[in-house]
Amino acid sequence: MAVREIVILGDPILREKANAVETFDEALRELVRDMFHTMVFAEGAGLAAPQIGIPFRVLVADTSRGEEGKGERHAVVNPTIVELGVEEERESEGCLSVPGVSDIVSRPGRVVLEGFDPMGSPIRIEAEGLLSRVLQHEVDHLEGILFFDRISPLKRRLLLSKYKKLLLEESA
């Protein structure tokens, strides 16, 4: 297992639609192990392959940390959202690829996701709460969508301005 470098805002891969995985082999399973390791190292709850520079439809999610072991851990290959709940939930979101900033994002409180596990077996995940939010956030990454694309243009400009200021402070 290796900790991979997380790409940050400005890298074009974050805005590209990821490619479907066609081969379920040991290289894919190694990628998934590295993604989990990288996500835990970065103290995240989810990670999509494009965030480590890999243009494929793979995501990992782990909501078990910080919730007294009540969360869930998933790796999903070629995920598709097949159902979204009607009720919206507004919660703060951040992103490992846009470090240091967060904002309130409205998302459906429930999601049903279908895809495959790293061995190629079909899976279906019905999620609510934090896991639902994490899965939706990571599927967005696979579509080239970032969390701040889901907030108002004014709030987006303020968030990006804050992010640029943080980058300037770090480089000083």
Side-chain angles (χ1 to χ4, degrees), residues 1-23:
M1 286 186 288
V3 172
R4 307 255 189 130
E5 182 177 343
I6 296 174
V7 300
I8 62 167
L9 184 62
D11 190 309
I13 196 168
L14 294 174
R15 291 307 198 167
E16 297 170 5
K17 188 171 179 172
N19 302 309
V21 171
E22 296 180 10
T23 305

Side-chain angles (χ1 to χ4, degrees), residues 13 17 28-29 43 45 68 74 81 89 92 100 103 123 147 149 166:
I13 196 168
K17 188 171 179 172
L28 174 64
R29 290 182 283 283
E43 300 181 355
E68 300 173 10
H74 296 281
I81 293 175
E89 293 181 358
S92 181
D103 210 325
I123 58 173
F147 80 96
D149 294 331
L166 286 171

Side-chain angles (χ1 to χ4, degrees), residues 6 32 35-49 51 58-67 71-76 91-97 113 125 127-139 141:
I6 296 174
V32 168
M35 288 175 66
F36 271 119
H37 197 65
T38 301
M39 176 190 64
V40 169
F41 182 80
E43 300 181 355
L47 187 70
Q51 290 181 272
V58 181
L59 68 80
V60 296
D62 185 352
T63 60
S64 63
R65 294 173 298 118
E67 287 193 11
E72 297 180 52
R73 182 176 163 109
H74 296 281
V76 187
E91 295 290 336
S92 181
E93 278 188 38
C95 180
L96 295 175
S97 291
L113 190 74
I125 302 168
E128 295 181 346
L130 179 59
L131 181 58
S132 172
R133 180 168 294 278
V134 171
L135 291 172
Q136 291 176 66
H137 179 107
E138 301 311 329
V139 168
H141 272 298

